[in-house]
Amino acid sequence: MKKVVAIALALAALVASYAVADDDAVYSVNTIGVIKYTVPPEGKLTCISMPLDPPPDATSNVWSNCTLSEQLPKGSAVYFWDSENQQWLTCAKSGLGWTPALRNRELHPGEAIFVRQAATATDDLVVSMVGELNPDDTTTIYLSGSGNLDVKGLSAYPISTTFTNTVFADALSKNSAVYFWDVDNQQWLTCAKSGLGWTPALRNRVVGVGEGVMVKEAGSVTEVTDRSPLAPEE
């Protein structure tokens, strides 16, 4: 039953592709998907992940070439997490485009970013990411480990699930933590792993399609293997 539900959720994330497809678009043998995100007004932040491969006409998810970056208006900003230096990098959009030093930054499978509109924005903004559904049965998501922070999606595939059903819940070491972003209150919610398991109030939190989180692996785990819900049963 869990397998069937996961497949249904994965496919549901792709329904919107026909609504935004261009008549002259180039299609591949793989499935084209669209992930929709809602960016709140007044400069509030939302944390999103990129669970799609590049579209057929691209070889990588370079930020300035993503459909998502094109739809964000002037005054918007994205924040990339620099795992090596443990800091945020700000890429802002002006009348001249995105910050030159970061506009060609590549987004990797499982990576997440923060996005915001201008502080003067008064309404929610719905934007979308177009790409191909990851065709691989498994995908490796890399972590820094040793108590360092990473900003990730909890799946490299466009699915929605409860946190305890993710590979991260099992793979992360004791004393690790996952931080969920509370958009309404603009703050992190801490879900920590003890000898008794994950924080009860958050362990069954539903992680939406394309939702990003912050991960702190306390031990030596540096690779997490995510399995596609569409992969054949082992």
Side-chain angles (χ1 to χ4, degrees), residues 48-131:
I48 65 175
S49 67
M50 305 294 187
L52 291 174
D53 284 351
D57 58 348
T59 57
S60 63
N61 276 328
V62 172
W63 171 248
S64 59
N65 291 337
C66 291
T67 52
L68 178 59
S69 76
E70 297 169 357
Q71 295 164 47
L72 290 170
K74 184 174 66 174
S76 300
V78 294
Y79 301 87
F80 303 111
W81 180 248
D82 179 353
S83 296
E84 183 176 354
N85 296 300
Q86 294 289 285
Q87 64 182 12
W88 292 105
L89 304 176
T90 304
C91 185
K93 190 173 190 178
S94 69
L96 299 176
W98 294 98
T99 303
L102 291 168
R103 63 180 301 167
N104 291 322
R105 182 182 175 94
E106 183 178 350
L107 300 174
H108 299 286
E111 184 176 357
I113 59 176
F114 262 118
V115 180
R116 70 161 176 81
Q117 295 190 69
T120 54
T122 57
D123 298 306
D124 285 343
L125 175 67
V126 177
V127 293
S128 58
M129 176 79 173
V130 179

Side-chain angles (χ1 to χ4, degrees), residues 4-24:
V4 173
V5 172
I7 291 174
L9 289 168
L11 294 177
L14 306 177
V15 172
S17 61
Y18 296 103
V20 298
D22 190 303
D23 289 341
D24 298 321

Side-chain angles (χ1 to χ4, degrees), residues 14-50:
L14 306 177
V15 172
S17 61
Y18 296 103
V20 298
D22 190 303
D23 289 341
D24 298 321
V26 177
Y27 296 94
S28 73
V29 294
N30 294 327
T31 305
I32 302 299
V34 176
I35 307 297
K36 290 188 176 181
Y37 307 94
T38 299
V39 184
E42 301 172 351
K44 292 181 179 179
L45 296 160
T46 187
C47 191
I48 65 175
S49 67
M50 305 294 187

